[in-house]
Amino acid sequence: MSITRSTHGAPRRRTRRPLGAGSIVLLSLGALAFLFPFYYMVVGSLQSSPDTSVAGAFPQPGNLTGENYANINDSISLLRALVNSGIFTGGVILCTVVFGILAGYAMAQMRFRGRGFVFALMLLVQMIPFQLLLIPLYIMIVRDYGLGDSYLGMILPFAINSTAVFVFRQYFLQVPASLFEAARIDGAGELGILFRIALPLVRPALVTAVLLTFIGPWNEFLWPFLVTKDASMQPLAVSLANYISTVASATSNPFGAILAGACVLALPAVVLFIVFQKQFTATDLGSSIKG
C-alpha cells in the first residue's frame, strides 16, 4: 500500500491489487528463464570435468571444485586485476557524476544563450560510435600526452558521459522551480542551491548514473587493451580476455575456466545492482512544497 496526495494536499491511500495466480506463474517462469543462464554459469565454473549437456546443470557433488578459480588467480593475479578495474571504473564514475551534475543542472535550471544548441549537440554526440574516435584518441592520449600504461590514460576518454548529463538534466527539470526561486531570493548562490537543495531531491538520479556508468568501464575491453601493454596495469576484462585466449585452452577444463572468468567479471556488477535496486524508485518531488 502506498500514500499519494490529492489535489487539495490531503494524504490519500491507494491500495494495490493483488496479483492473480496466472500472473504469479508467468512472472515465476520469466524469472527462472532469466536467472538460469547465471545459475548455469556458476555451476559450470565449479565443475572439475566439463559437462555441456542438460545434466550439467545438476552436477554431482564429487564433480564440484574451485580449481578453475585458482587457475585464473595463478595466471593473471585476480586481486591486481580487480584493483586496476576498481581504479579505472571508480575514476570514470567520479568524473561522470561530477561533470554530469554540473552540466545537467546548468542545462536544466540556468538560462544562457545557446543552451538549446548545446543540448542538441550533446544528443548528437550520443549517435557517434566510440570506435570512430579510437584512432584520434589513441594518438592524442598515448603519443601526444604520453599517458599509455596509466590510469589517467584509461579514464580520460570516458570522463564525460553525455547519457549521464541527460539523466541529470531530466531529473533537475522535475524539481519545482519555486524552490530555486525562493533560495535565490534568500541570497543562495547557484552552487549552494545545487548541493543543498537540488541534489538531495534527485538522489535516484545519482544511483542511476552510477549504475549505468559502472557497467561501461567495468566491462570495457577495447580501449584499455589499446593503451595498456604492461600486464600489471590491465583491468580485469583485459586480463581475463588474455587468459581465455592464451592459457584457458591449455587447461584440463577450458569450459570451466571460461565460465569462471565470466563469473569473476559479472559478480561485482550483480552485487551492485542487488544492493541499489530499491533506489530505482521515483521520488515525489512535488511533495517538497506544501500547500
Side-chain angles (χ1 to χ4, degrees):
M1 181 170 56
S2 61
I3 299 177
T4 59
R5 292 184 177 273
S6 65
T7 55
H8 300 289
R12 182 181 62 191
R13 294 184 180 274
R14 181 179 61 189
T15 58
R16 296 177 179 175
R17 297 177 57 185
L19 294 175
S23 299
I24 294 176
V25 171
L26 289 176
L27 289 174
S28 300
L29 292 176
L32 288 175
F34 176 80
L35 293 175
F36 181 78
F38 295 95
Y39 164 79
Y40 192 82
M41 180 175 66
V42 174
V43 170
S45 69
L46 295 173
Q47 293 181 6
S48 57
S49 60
D51 187 355
T52 57
S53 65
V54 178
F58 308 97
Q60 299 296 325
N63 194 30
L64 297 179
T65 179
E67 183 180 355
N68 295 320
Y69 292 93
N71 291 336
I72 293 179
N73 186 58
D74 293 339
S75 300
I76 65 173
S77 181
L78 280 178
L79 180 59
R80 182 62 186 177
L82 284 170
V83 170
N84 292 337
S85 288
I87 296 174
F88 172 40
T89 305
V92 172
I93 290 176
L94 178 62
C95 294
T96 296
V97 170
V98 172
F99 294 127
I101 288 173
L102 296 175
Y105 175 80
M107 285 192 287
Q109 297 295 337
M110 299 182 68
R111 300 291 182 266
F112 57 90
R113 181 175 299 179
R115 188 180 68 165
F117 174 76
V118 173
F119 179 66
L121 189 62
M122 182 197 70
L123 296 179
L124 181 63
V125 169
Q126 298 185 32
M127 301 173 62
I128 302 176
F130 179 74
Q131 290 75 9
L132 294 179
L133 305 176
L134 279 177
I135 295 177
L137 281 175
Y138 182 83
I139 294 174
M140 179 177 63
I141 290 179
V142 176
R143 191 181 68 181
D144 297 343
Y145 295 162
L147 295 177
D149 284 321
S150 67
Y151 295 121
L152 188 59
M154 288 189 286
I155 293 171
L156 279 180
F158 306 95
I160 299 179
N161 190 325
S162 58
T163 302
V165 174
F166 178 80
V167 169
F168 281 115
R169 175 186 179 274
Q170 296 306 112
Y171 269 88
F172 284 132
L173 286 175
Q174 298 179 41
V175 180
S178 55
L179 288 177
F180 301 109
E181 295 173 359
R184 292 188 182 100
I185 292 175
D186 291 339
E190 292 298 333
L191 288 179
I193 295 174
L194 171 60
F195 290 106
R196 296 179 183 177
I197 298 176
L199 275 185
L201 295 176
V202 296
R203 189 173 62 177
L206 288 172
V207 179
T208 301
V210 169
L211 292 178
L212 291 178
T213 304
F214 175 86
I215 295 299
W218 183 261
N219 294 326
E220 181 64 30
F221 166 77
L222 186 56
W223 178 253
F225 176 75
L226 291 176
V227 299
T228 56
K229 305 304 179 184
D230 186 358
S232 64
M233 288 294 300
Q234 292 176 341
L236 184 60
V238 179
S239 297
L240 286 176
N242 292 333
Y243 170 77
I244 291 172
S245 61
T246 59
V247 182
S249 59
T251 62
S252 59
N253 186 5
F255 179 75
I258 293 173
L259 291 181
C263 289
V264 172
L265 188 62
L267 180 61
V270 172
V271 171
L272 192 66
F273 272 94
I274 292 175
V275 171
F276 292 102
Q277 61 177 334
K278 293 183 179 179
Q279 300 297 328
F280 277 104
T281 57
T283 56
D284 186 9
L285 297 176
S287 63
S288 302
I289 302 178
K290 298 181 180 180

